[in-house]
Amino acid sequence: ALSKPLDEAFSLWKQLLEKPGIPSVRSPEQTVTSLQLLASLYRLQAQPIQALESFLLLRSLCRRLGDIPGRASALRQLTGILLQLERPSQAQV
């Protein structure tokens, strides 16, 4: 029930970001921040798979934007989630 708005937001972000290239948004920086917040809220709700998927979207967006620090942060979060899920072989970069 509490995650329904998050799931809807994730679905919208996923639709927007599945197209190649830089998405047509007003502020790419705000989009990065929104995805970080979405993924963090999933983590706080103990929904690691949804958090993982959100951080994957974030990593993809940061790659497209050339945001190296953002991409590194997303990778760090992804690694943490994979380790939490006891998947260390997938956590290796």
Side-chain angles (χ1 to χ4, degrees), residues 7 27 40 52 81 89:
D7 294 340
S27 171
S40 296
L52 186 75
I81 293 170
S89 62

Side-chain angles (χ1 to χ4, degrees), residues 16-17 28 31-33 41 44 48 58-59 72 74-75 77-80 82-83 85 93:
L16 180 69
L17 296 173
T31 303
V32 167
T33 301
L41 288 171
L44 287 173
L58 177 60
R59 182 194 66 173
L75 285 170
Q77 294 292 338
L78 286 165
T79 301
L82 289 168
L83 291 173
L85 294 172
V93 178

Side-chain angles (χ1 to χ4, degrees), residues 19-41:
K19 300 171 187 145
I22 297 175
S24 299
V25 294
R26 260 186 289 183
S27 171
E29 294 81 15
Q30 276 187 313
T31 303
V32 167
T33 301
S34 294
L35 281 171
Q36 288 170 331
L37 182 59
L38 177 69
S40 296
L41 288 171

Side-chain angles (χ1 to χ4, degrees), residues 42-43 45-56 76-91:
Y42 273 131
R43 279 192 96 171
Q45 289 191 344
Q47 296 183 345
I49 301 301
Q50 291 85 345
L52 186 75
E53 291 174 337
S54 299
F55 281 119
L56 285 169
R76 183 181 57 80
Q77 294 292 338
L78 286 165
T79 301
I81 293 170
L82 289 168
L83 291 173
Q84 175 189 352
L85 294 172
E86 298 180 2
R87 305 299 295 206
S89 62
Q90 281 83 10

